[in-house]
Amino acid sequence: MLTFFANTLVLAGAVILIGALATVKRLINQLPQGSSRKSWYTMTALIIMFVIGYVFYIAAFWSKHTNALDLIVPVIFFFGACFVWISATLSMNTASDIMRISLLEHESCTDSLTGLFNRRFMDQRLLEEVAAAHRYDRPLAVLLLDLDHFKRINDKYGHPTGDQVLIAASALIATQLRSSDVLARYGGEEFIVIAPNTPLDSAKELAERLRKCIESNNFGVYPGQATMPDVRLTVSIGVACFSDWIDSAEQLLKVADRNLYQAKDNGRNQIVDDERVIPAN
């Protein structure tokens, strides 16, 4: 009876370890390439060695458990296997939870159409950059961009095409920015660029580079789709820079917004950067 019980414990432990292997495999498939994945490959090899050891133990001690003390090793084997399985399962669940939380965080700060940061993220990031500009006495620029007459694209080609144009325009703008710059969709066909460590002259150069880039691009060509006639766009840009009289996130946005609509009122496809326009209280 003791022999049967001991062999059952060891066999059950081996089965549990095989189940842990399956869990570890699913975990490895979720992990990116790197040191963590390599560590779990090592764990896989160790579990396989444990399974082999369990099998050899059964073969070597098949009928040699004659008293209660002989059950110590089989019990340790069984609960050791349970520990490995629980550890693998908890790791799998933790990895799944982290991925789910990461996805939720990504969705909460990302525009679903363009993949850019959204207005919520931009508001928080601008507050942080303004605080840094105050603390370290460094320049900060904000650019508001509005695609001119974008409604005509939707009216002429339909909203699906309009969405593709927005995606292409956002990707094109991103290619002109530094890694430290923050690009977000401000709303509709408007975009915002937060440019840390950027004085007014550099902000004007960036705005002009963006304006020319949009103006010279053909937005009527999309991979995998039929080519439409040329779809050309222009952009109006309002620029505001951190200064003694523009020293808050709210004021930066007000001045940039006012300059943007001045650019549109002046005929569009241009830049207005009158940083001395003081926003009304």
Side-chain angles (χ1 to χ4, degrees), residues 172 210-219 232-233:
L172 186 63
L210 293 173
R211 189 196 66 78
K212 289 181 178 179
C213 187
I214 294 292
E215 183 181 38
S216 63
N217 191 71
N218 177 13
F219 292 92
R232 301 288 177 173
L233 286 174

Side-chain angles (χ1 to χ4, degrees), residues 21-36:
L21 278 175
T23 302
V24 170
K25 181 180 179 181
R26 294 199 302 271
L27 175 59
I28 290 173
N29 290 336
Q30 290 193 14
L31 293 174
Q33 296 291 340
S35 58
S36 294

Side-chain angles (χ1 to χ4, degrees), residues 24-186:
V24 170
K25 181 180 179 181
R26 294 199 302 271
L27 175 59
I28 290 173
N29 290 336
Q30 290 193 14
L31 293 174
Q33 296 291 340
S35 58
S36 294
R37 193 167 190 172
K38 291 179 181 178
S39 296
W40 281 103
Y41 279 128
T42 302
M43 176 64 80
T44 300
L46 289 173
I47 294 174
I48 292 173
M49 291 175 64
F50 286 154
V51 172
I52 295 172
Y54 280 38
V55 172
F56 274 105
Y57 179 87
I58 294 173
F61 297 93
W62 180 258
S63 59
K64 297 181 180 179
H65 301 90
T66 58
N67 58 68
L69 291 178
D70 293 335
L71 293 178
I72 293 177
V73 173
V75 168
I76 292 174
F77 275 20
F78 176 77
F79 284 107
C82 290
F83 174 78
V84 171
W85 178 78
I86 291 172
S87 298
T89 302
L90 288 175
S91 298
M92 176 68 185
N93 292 340
T94 300
S96 298
D97 289 343
I98 291 173
M99 292 180 64
R100 184 163 54 251
I101 292 171
S102 177
L103 178 60
L104 289 173
E105 290 179 345
H106 177 76
E107 291 177 346
S108 71
C109 67
T110 305
D111 175 62
S112 59
L113 176 64
T114 62
L116 301 179
F117 293 120
N118 58 20
R119 178 74 176 269
R120 175 183 178 183
F121 177 88
M122 181 279 300
D123 287 338
Q124 181 59 40
R125 183 60 180 271
L126 184 57
L127 289 173
E128 294 172 359
E129 292 297 342
V130 167
H134 274 293
R135 185 180 306 115
Y136 302 111
D137 192 26
R138 68 187 189 191
L140 172 66
V142 168
L143 286 68
L144 271 181
L145 300 82
D146 185 272
L147 301 179
D148 297 326
H149 302 298
F150 185 77
K151 186 175 183 299
R152 295 178 183 175
I153 302 292
N154 286 330
D155 292 343
K156 185 173 182 180
Y157 300 108
H159 287 278
T161 296
D163 288 346
Q164 292 299 317
V165 171
L166 281 175
I167 293 170
S170 64
L172 186 63
I173 293 169
T175 64
Q176 304 300 310
L177 304 179
R178 304 167 300 179
S179 59
S180 59
D181 297 331
V182 180
L183 174 61
R185 189 179 181 191
Y186 195 64

Side-chain angles (χ1 to χ4, degrees), residues 164-165 168 217-232:
Q164 292 299 317
V165 171
N217 191 71
N218 177 13
F219 292 92
V221 179
Y222 303 105
Q225 298 184 19
T227 302
M228 299 182 300
D230 284 357
V231 177
R232 301 288 177 173

